[in-house]
Amino acid sequence: MRKWNYPDILKRVSLLATVALVLSGCTGSSLLDPKGPVGAEQKYLIMTSFFLMMIVVIPVIVMTLLFAWRYNYIKNAKYSPNWSHSNKIEVVVWAIPLAIVFILSVLTWRSTHALDPHRVPESDRDPIVVEVMALDWKWLFIYPEQGIASVNELAFPVDTPIEFRVSSESVMNSFFIPQLGSQIYAMAGMVNTVHLLASEEGTYPGMSANYSGHGFSGMHFKALATSDEGFQQWVESVRQSSETLQQDSFDELAKPSRDNPVEYFSTVTPGLYTDIVNSYITSGDSSHHGAEE
Ligand SMILES: [Cu+2]
């Protein structure tokens, strides 16, 4: 039998703790620090599932240690190798998992409807529409109502639902602002909609949650949740830009670039977004890839 070696155990435990810390530093901390109702609901779901799983995990760990201690060869515990059925064990191993699966299924059913990306978060304000286009390797945001566009920077007022219409000009990406919740896929030729709301002012990191090539690591954007005045100021500063967005400047922008800086476009050709999405729909045989609109 292997002898217990205290420094060895300590080394393993601290290694595990380090791994846990590194993992929580990546996405855990922002997912567990939501700034809007969708993110908050998702955090609740993650934590509830986690604690439900602990109902199984913790007793298993405790029993493993307890049995190893109780039934080791030195102790004089009752030895009964010929039993074939135990009602006590059957009840425990069936009842607990069934109860957990039941609770999880009710929870999943409810939150699947509550977190439907098409559902507009409750608010007394009208939603703002932002058309999102994933490019290699940057994010383009078009504001059809304001007639402006920006690259790698997104702004919106707090407590206002934002309707993101998400598509891609290139390969598949995933639009994700972890602190606001719900990532959604960006795919060429189709528009996915997700509604989000920020209930606190701040700057939230945004990213693609789906690997899309060698410039992927720099494909980040900032989501600025501002006051109403702050949003108006941001729109004004975008309108000061000398750059405009139409088909030819879009083609130029769509060329692959890495670590693209923030860019502003003071005007956008109306309907440009829909035109780009529709350009991926060829007539006839590929009809399954229809734009959602
Ligand atoms: Cu498809």
Side-chain angles (χ1 to χ4, degrees), residues 148-149 235-245 263-267:
I148 55 168
V235 170
E236 283 313 312
S237 63
V238 174
R239 287 201 174 122
Q240 301 303 311
S241 168
S242 55
E243 302 287 318
T244 60
L245 193 64
E263 286 179 54
Y264 292 157
F265 300 92
S266 54
T267 58

Side-chain angles (χ1 to χ4, degrees), residues 229-289:
E229 302 82 64
F231 180 64
Q232 283 313 317
Q233 278 166 18
W234 185 83
V235 170
E236 283 313 312
S237 63
V238 174
R239 287 201 174 122
Q240 301 303 311
S241 168
S242 55
E243 302 287 318
T244 60
L245 193 64
Q246 55 274 323
Q247 192 64 54
D248 56 342
S249 57
F250 174 79
D251 292 340
E252 194 58 37
L253 181 71
K255 287 178 182 162
S257 67
R258 301 184 70 171
D259 299 315
N260 209 84
V262 172
E263 286 179 54
Y264 292 157
F265 300 92
S266 54
T267 58
V268 180
T269 309
L272 180 68
Y273 185 80
T274 313
D275 289 346
I276 300 163
V277 173
N278 288 345
S279 70
Y280 284 90
I281 304 167
T282 48
S283 57
D285 51 2
S286 69
S287 55
H288 95 279
H289 262 167

Side-chain angles (χ1 to χ4, degrees), residues 41-155:
E41 181 85 11
Q42 286 172 348
K43 179 189 171 185
Y44 170 77
L45 194 61
I46 292 169
M47 296 315 283
T48 312
S49 312
F50 177 78
F51 287 120
L52 281 171
M53 284 186 280
M54 287 305 112
I55 294 176
V56 171
V57 171
I58 290 170
V60 166
I61 292 171
V62 170
M63 281 191 285
T64 306
L65 297 173
L66 190 75
F67 289 179
W69 172 78
R70 191 177 151 84
Y71 296 104
N72 77 68
Y73 63 92
I74 307 166
K75 293 278 183 305
N76 291 315
K78 193 184 159 213
Y79 180 62
S80 51
N82 295 319
W83 66 275
S84 61
H85 182 84
S86 160
N87 282 330
K88 267 190 251 169
I89 291 178
E90 292 290 328
V91 166
V92 170
V93 301
W94 284 102
I96 294 176
L98 277 177
I100 292 175
V101 169
F102 177 74
I103 298 171
L104 278 177
S105 56
V106 172
L107 215 66
T108 307
W109 177 270
R110 281 180 38 195
S111 52
T112 302
H113 290 275
L115 295 170
D116 177 359
H118 295 286
R119 209 171 138 261
V120 184
E122 266 171 51
S123 169
D124 44 13
R125 289 150 165 249
D126 290 333
I128 286 182
V129 175
V130 181
E131 296 168 332
V132 179
M133 183 72 77
L135 307 175
D136 286 334
W137 285 275
K138 54 203 162 273
W139 291 94
L140 172 66
F141 303 108
I142 299 174
Y143 290 73
E145 289 153 20
Q146 287 78 8
I148 55 168
S150 61
V151 167
N152 285 347
E153 190 177 273
L154 173 68

Side-chain angles (χ1 to χ4, degrees), residues 13 48 61 91 103 127 148 160 170 199 220 222 224 228 251 275 278 293:
V13 170
T48 312
I61 292 171
V91 166
I103 298 171
I148 55 168
T160 307
S170 173
S199 43
H220 292 280
K222 278 189 179 131
L224 315 170
D228 284 347
D251 292 340
D275 289 346
N278 288 345
E293 290 297 274

